[in-house]
Amino acid sequence: VIFILEGHAFPGYWRSPNDHADFEQAKRQPDGAAADADAAAELVGQRVPWQLRKGAYREVVSRIYERQLVPLETVALTRQESFEEALRQGRERLGSRRDFHSLIDIVLARTNQVTPLPIREARD
């Protein structure tokens, strides 16, 4: 997955295929991730199945604290900090709903035939 925040993005991963499948099942249920009216409205207006927007924030964070979804702040890794520190910073970055923009689920995007942009060579 890719966590998108205001002004920043970083990757994460589902700890198991079962965790991912459980999340998908909850997302499909009418009362799944919608814990309040704002969340319900956001999920109803969901544009694509592989992107979870602000309304899913509470569900995303709960999956992180249940140790099903792992955010990894890779900037920490480029600074040669420990893997554990990168995990801590990833969780910390997701501490504010205000800063959370969305989560992109790469597996679901691929399942829905979304592919990376092709790299084209410049011709002289």
Side-chain angles (χ1 to χ4, degrees):
V1 302
I2 300 172
F3 295 97
I4 301 175
L5 308 176
E6 294 298 324
H8 189 62
F10 57 95
Y13 59 92
W14 292 100
R15 293 202 56 201
S16 77
N18 288 340
D19 291 338
H20 188 242
D22 289 346
F23 178 75
E24 275 306 294
Q25 184 63 29
K27 193 176 79 141
R28 282 191 209 111
Q29 313 235 342
D31 62 347
D36 57 34
D38 291 337
E42 182 70 31
L43 289 175
V44 168
Q46 179 126 355
R47 294 183 181 106
V48 291
W50 57 87
Q51 181 182 32
L52 297 173
R53 302 189 71 194
K54 254 189 205 301
Y57 172 79
R58 204 178 290 185
E59 181 68 18
V60 167
V61 169
S62 76
R63 298 294 172 150
I64 291 167
Y65 285 101
E66 291 171 10
R67 300 188 183 276
Q68 295 175 352
L69 181 59
V70 180
L72 184 63
E73 177 50 270
T74 51
V75 171
L77 296 177
T78 65
R79 294 180 185 150
Q80 298 182 341
E81 295 179 29
S82 71
F83 187 76
E84 290 77 17
E85 180 61 17
L87 295 174
R88 186 195 67 71
Q89 287 182 28
R91 286 189 305 270
E92 186 177 283
R93 285 239 185 225
L94 291 164
S96 169
R97 180 180 179 153
R98 185 186 73 222
D99 292 339
F100 180 79
H101 180 275
S102 59
L103 176 141
I104 305 284
D105 190 314
I106 303 300
V107 171
L108 284 178
R110 295 286 191 269
T111 301
N112 284 273
Q113 285 73 49
V114 176
T115 60
L117 294 173
I119 297 175
R120 298 188 179 194
E121 293 182 25
R123 296 184 185 192
D124 294 330

